[in-house]
Amino acid sequence: MNGAAPVGGSVILHPEGQTRLSLSKPTAVIGNDGSFTVRTNYQDGAPVGRYKVTFFWAGDPRVPKSVPPQDERSLNQNQIPHPYSSVADTPFSIEVAPEANVLPLFQLRSDLK
């Protein structure tokens, strides 16, 4: 985001066209260099198909937050701006093929609303 990896953030793949809720969405944790490995049900990879891609990041845990006591719940709120955090509005979608997949670089900007 803005040229830096949101280290410790999550990448979530949402199967396109799926209308029921699923507890086993393919997800990944973003590493120090911005790379990640998608896992589904504790195994590497994701089922073949098309996905919408969203992101969640509670912020850098190494940076102290000055939060008023009445608003402590904001410590765990997503710091990734809309539309990247919305399944309905995300600009990112991918196709997972049966062979090994290399996903594109996702460029996120914090100035979007």
Side-chain angles (χ1 to χ4, degrees):
M1 185 163 64
N2 300 327
V7 177
S10 298
V11 179
I12 306 105
L13 304 184
H14 306 268
E16 285 190 11
Q18 182 175 331
T19 55
R20 63 182 174 85
L21 293 176
S22 172
L23 298 177
S24 61
K25 286 186 176 71
T27 59
V29 175
I30 301 167
N32 291 335
D33 63 355
S35 67
F36 56 88
T37 299
V38 174
R39 295 179 55 87
T40 307
N41 294 328
Y42 305 103
Q43 296 182 349
D44 286 352
V48 171
R50 289 204 51 80
Y51 294 87
K52 295 280 194 168
V53 182
T54 62
F55 301 85
F56 179 88
W57 183 50
D60 189 338
R62 298 168 296 180
V63 177
K65 294 181 176 71
S66 57
V67 178
Q70 71 272 16
D71 198 16
E72 289 178 6
R73 66 180 175 255
S74 68
L75 288 172
N76 293 320
Q77 289 182 347
N78 196 356
Q79 302 301 305
I80 300 292
H82 188 92
Y84 309 123
S85 57
S86 166
V87 177
D89 298 325
T90 182
F92 301 120
S93 62
I94 60 162
E95 176 91 28
V96 173
E99 63 275 353
N101 293 264
V102 176
L103 300 180
L105 178 64
F106 297 107
Q107 296 283 352
L108 309 181
R109 294 183 15 224
S110 64
D111 61 348
L112 291 183
K113 299 288 181 214

